[in-house]
Amino acid sequence: MTHTEKRILTNKIVMVLSTLSAAIGIAFLLWILSVLVINGIEAINWNIFIYEGAPPGYEQSGLKHALIGQLLLVGIATLIGVPLGIFGGTYLSEYGGLKSRLANVIRDVSDIMMSAPSIVIGSFVYAIFVAPMGNFSGWAGIIALTIIMVPVILRTTDDMLQLVPSTLREAAFALGAPKYKVILQVVIRGAKTGILTGVLLGVARVSGETAPLLFTSFNDNFLNTDLSQPIASLTVTMFNYATSPYEDWQKLGWAAAFILSMFILGLNILGRLILIKRKRK
Amino acid sequence: MPTIIDITEDKAIEVKNFEFTYAGSDEPNLKNISMPIAKNRVTALIGPSGCGKTTLLRSFNRMHDLYPGNSYAGEILFEGRNILQEKEDMIKLRTQIGMIFQKPTAFPMSIFDNVAYGLRLKGIKNKSELADRVEKALKDAAIWKETSARLKHDANGLSGGQQQRLCIARAIAVEPEVLLFDEPTSALDPISTQGIERLIIELKEKVSILIVTHNMQQAARVSDYTGFMYLGDLIELGRTEDLFVTPCEKLTEEYITGKFG
Ligand SMILES: Nc1ncnc2c1ncn2[C@@H]1O[C@H](COP(=O)(O)OP(=O)(O)O)[C@@H](O)[C@H]1O
Ligand SMILES: [Mg+2]
């Protein structure tokens, strides 16, 4: 076999192997999605949005409590986490820069936090908040979700602001703008689609979290909006219903899984669309 | 010793024994530069790449202050004061001495808001005054015709040449005394370049202009005075027609006849 023939053969082998691996991955993904969609659509009806949780065997049982709980937890975590992340990211990029030791320590710490298992964050919040307060609560869940969300938004903001060309900053300074106006009116505006994508990805990331909520907001089978008390979430409800032996609860579990997946899929698609639109410009 | 013409006209700026050192540099990047910048005239800076043209230009609006560790020495006299002094008000200085960059720097906002940016910084809020001054600036920058119907549109939709004119409009809207241009046409096509050059010549009725260019023909076309820089020194400054026809310094002659650079 000549050298060229050898290379052509290696090329073919590698191509077949990588195509095969990709096909296996996609096949499993499609399998999961189709099972989810088939079971989810079958389980969804109006009752889900009208009724709270009920003991097994009740007609009038739904997911209203979990949907509202989920919205409260994720919504308030977003309200707290987004400004924290954006301000922090702005500090890193605009006041710290790439040479600042403090900024680089913060960058490393957030990168570690992003890859830390979320259950660790959950137990941390349990130790510093739930245990001293004496009970599970919505606020504890919100704190856990915020801690998970902030590093994602912080780093995306940091990266996106650094992509803004420095000549744009200089041009604003050259017109006599003070630094805070340069940042607010020119730099952040120039990076706003990228920052928005970071926010969407951060929200999508925490929307699917279960482990940190198990230790913090825990669960409630009925509607509760008092954040000082345990509160239902789609993820924990799904976990409980899906692992229960009752068929009607399992069905509700499928419905919760379907709604949650569609929500997160929607956020991800929206994030991609915004990025594509920006690149076209 | 460099040959620096002693101009008899009014001066907008007078540089005396100026030195500049970048952070971390062992020796000054600009050495003992003295030069006048004539009022309502165009002064061009030429010289091989890396000789310090941009560095000198960015000293006049203290752009180097944006990055830590850079240091100035000597004097740059403007309106009777040395602008290198500690107490100099950067915000005021930069509204008096404007700058146009190599690549167009349109802000991510509408055409109108781009031109109004400096005016709003100055505290002008009155809508009709803003509209009047934006229109005037766009007309003075010869881009009113192309933009008047789409002032609300995103400035990034304009072509490169149009964006550069927009940046000029933005800079002249605040009515500066001096405008600094750093190779303003190096990213543009020949037709846009011609337009910008014509504009620069028109603008000198109102402002004093200092332009850096790597293109000797451009310097010859637009400027009244030309300075030749080499390795951080200003070698020669003279009337443009003299410098290109009968340079005093051997280095200048070698450069303009294409022996190096
Ligand atoms: N930010 C900087 N830090 C340190 N040295 C620099 C910096 N910018 C430019 N220099 C150096 O200063 C000299 C002059 O550069 P510059 O003014 O950009 O030249 P020109 O505009 O004439 O091409 C060059 O030797 C360059 O390497
Ligand atoms: Mg330069």
Side-chain angles (χ1 to χ4, degrees):
Chain A
M1 206 190 289
T2 68
H3 189 66
T4 319
E5 279 172 342
K6 230 185 195 164
R7 272 175 35 185
I8 291 173
L9 185 70
T10 321
N11 188 33
K12 275 190 183 148
I13 293 173
V14 172
M15 199 181 79
V16 168
L17 280 179
S18 44
T19 312
L20 213 65
S21 317
I24 292 173
I26 291 172
F28 272 100
L29 183 70
L30 287 179
W31 185 16
I32 294 170
L33 272 179
S34 59
V35 170
L36 179 72
V37 169
I38 290 165
N39 287 294
I41 286 181
E42 195 192 306
I44 280 198
N45 56 50
W46 279 117
N47 281 357
I48 281 174
F49 301 98
I50 297 168
Y51 297 113
E52 301 170 28
Y58 272 67
E59 268 291 294
Q60 300 177 336
S61 99
L63 291 169
K64 183 177 162 193
H65 62 301
L67 285 166
I68 290 177
Q70 179 86 11
L71 281 180
L72 279 175
L73 291 173
V74 173
I76 296 174
T78 304
L79 285 181
I80 303 170
V82 167
L84 272 181
I86 292 182
F87 279 121
T90 305
Y91 168 79
L92 292 185
S93 163
E94 302 303 307
Y95 292 92
L98 286 174
K99 288 183 196 142
S100 151
R101 183 168 297 173
L102 175 64
N104 282 326
V105 168
I106 298 175
R107 282 192 186 101
D108 290 341
V109 170
S110 4
D111 288 348
I112 293 168
M113 276 172 67
M114 267 198 273
S115 48
S118 55
I119 196 157
V120 175
I121 312 276
S123 22
F124 168 74
V125 174
Y126 180 88
I128 62 146
F129 193 80
V130 177
M133 300 293 277
N135 66 311
F136 295 117
S137 68
W139 284 117
I142 288 168
I143 293 173
L145 294 185
T146 306
I147 293 177
I148 295 168
M149 185 191 293
V150 166
V152 179
I153 298 177
L154 183 100
R155 292 294 276 126
T156 323
T157 304
D158 179 22
D159 287 345
M160 291 299 156
L161 292 182
Q162 283 183 36
L163 285 181
V164 175
S166 60
T167 53
L168 217 55
R169 292 181 182 83
E170 290 185 352
F173 279 116
L175 285 166
K179 182 156 185 166
Y180 77 95
K181 286 195 177 170
V182 175
I183 295 172
L184 288 177
Q185 300 172 338
V186 175
V187 184
I188 291 194
R189 200 191 282 243
K192 67 170 186 270
T193 46
I195 295 174
L196 188 62
T197 312
V199 168
L200 290 177
L201 293 178
V203 174
R205 163 85 206 269
V206 301
S207 300
E209 287 294 352
T210 320
L213 295 180
L214 279 171
F215 294 99
T216 53
S217 55
F218 193 60
N219 198 17
D220 187 338
N221 207 21
F222 302 102
L223 181 62
N224 166 39
T225 51
D226 178 0
L227 293 170
S228 64
Q229 295 302 314
I231 189 169
S233 56
L234 271 179
T235 47
V236 178
T237 301
M238 186 179 121
F239 172 71
N240 284 341
Y241 283 5
T243 51
S244 77
Y246 317 108
E247 207 171 303
D248 53 342
W249 272 25
Q250 289 169 5
K251 243 182 154 181
L252 282 174
W254 279 115
F258 181 71
I259 293 172
L260 193 63
S261 304
M262 289 305 124
F263 177 68
I264 293 171
L265 187 67
L267 282 181
N268 275 298
I269 291 176
L270 195 62
R272 293 281 156 94
L273 284 181
I274 291 171
L275 272 191
I276 291 171
K277 203 177 137 209
R278 187 181 72 146
K279 276 200 197 110
R280 284 234 186 90
K281 247 205 316 212
Chain B
M1 274 306 280
T3 311
I4 309 295
I5 192 180
D6 200 9
I7 67 167
T8 49
E9 300 180 278
D10 281 350
K11 293 165 192 164
I13 292 179
E14 173 103 58
V15 182
K16 284 186 176 167
N17 308 106
F18 176 67
E19 296 210 336
F20 177 81
T21 314
Y22 277 113
S25 174
D26 302 331
E27 50 181 274
N29 298 77
L30 295 176
K31 289 162 240 163
N32 199 19
I33 289 178
S34 298
M35 68 182 286
I37 293 170
K39 207 169 179 135
N40 295 99
R41 295 285 177 268
V42 178
T43 303
L45 289 174
I46 59 168
S49 176
C51 68
K53 305 181 293 294
T54 298
T55 307
L56 178 58
L57 193 80
R58 288 163 64 91
S59 303
F60 293 104
N61 63 348
R62 303 268 308 259
M63 245 2 193
H64 298 299
D65 289 45
L66 296 179
Y67 307 96
N70 300 324
S71 66
Y72 310 93
E75 290 178 305
I76 295 180
L77 299 171
F78 172 65
E79 293 193 325
R81 65 183 194 273
N82 176 13
I83 60 162
L84 298 179
Q85 276 172 326
E86 203 58 46
K87 61 169 198 269
E88 179 66 31
D89 176 356
M90 287 309 137
I91 291 180
K92 184 169 169 230
L93 175 69
R94 288 171 186 159
T95 57
Q96 293 181 311
I97 302 186
M99 181 168 241
I100 313 296
F101 296 78
Q102 200 163 351
K103 280 201 192 126
T105 52
F107 297 148
M109 48 184 87
S110 72
I111 293 171
F112 184 93
D113 289 341
N114 260 278
V115 183
Y117 192 80
L119 298 169
R120 289 191 172 121
L121 285 175
K122 275 189 152 184
I124 300 171
K125 291 197 186 88
N126 182 297
K127 281 216 171 110
S128 70
E129 189 187 353
L130 274 179
D132 287 347
R133 292 187 63 172
V134 167
E135 177 175 340
K136 184 167 185 305
L138 286 167
K139 280 180 174 158
D140 288 346
I143 189 185
W144 174 249
K145 264 191 214 140
E146 297 121 286
T147 54
S148 59
R150 46 172 174 157
L151 292 177
K152 295 237 163 66
H153 290 219
D154 193 338
N156 284 302
L158 297 171
S159 73
Q162 289 172 329
Q163 286 189 29
Q164 196 62 305
R165 279 164 190 276
L166 180 74
C167 294
I168 295 175
R170 190 172 68 192
I172 59 182
V174 294
E175 300 181 340
E177 312 291 320
V178 179
L179 271 184
L180 310 167
F181 289 82
D182 191 356
E183 303 197 14
T185 62
S186 63
L188 302 182
D189 61 88
I191 298 209
S192 308
T193 300
Q194 205 180 23
I196 301 276
E197 287 182 4
R198 212 175 286 144
L199 184 55
I200 288 171
I201 296 170
E202 280 169 24
L203 285 174
K204 72 178 178 184
E205 276 181 29
K206 290 177 191 137
V207 291
S208 314
I209 291 170
L210 186 61
I211 176 172
V212 164
T213 171
H214 63 270
N215 178 332
M216 278 184 272
Q217 284 76 30
Q218 181 166 69
R221 284 192 297 265
V222 302
S223 71
D224 304 289
Y225 296 93
T226 299
F228 168 63
M229 293 183 70
Y230 186 65
L231 296 178
D233 288 308
L234 180 64
I235 305 293
E236 179 167 1
L237 176 81
R239 300 190 61 82
T240 299
E241 59 267 29
D242 299 338
L243 187 124
F244 282 111
V245 179
T246 52
C248 299
E249 297 283 334
K250 193 148 190 311
L251 265 173
T252 314
E253 187 186 334
E254 283 175 3
Y255 182 70
I256 61 178
T257 53
K259 293 222 173 78
F260 68 92

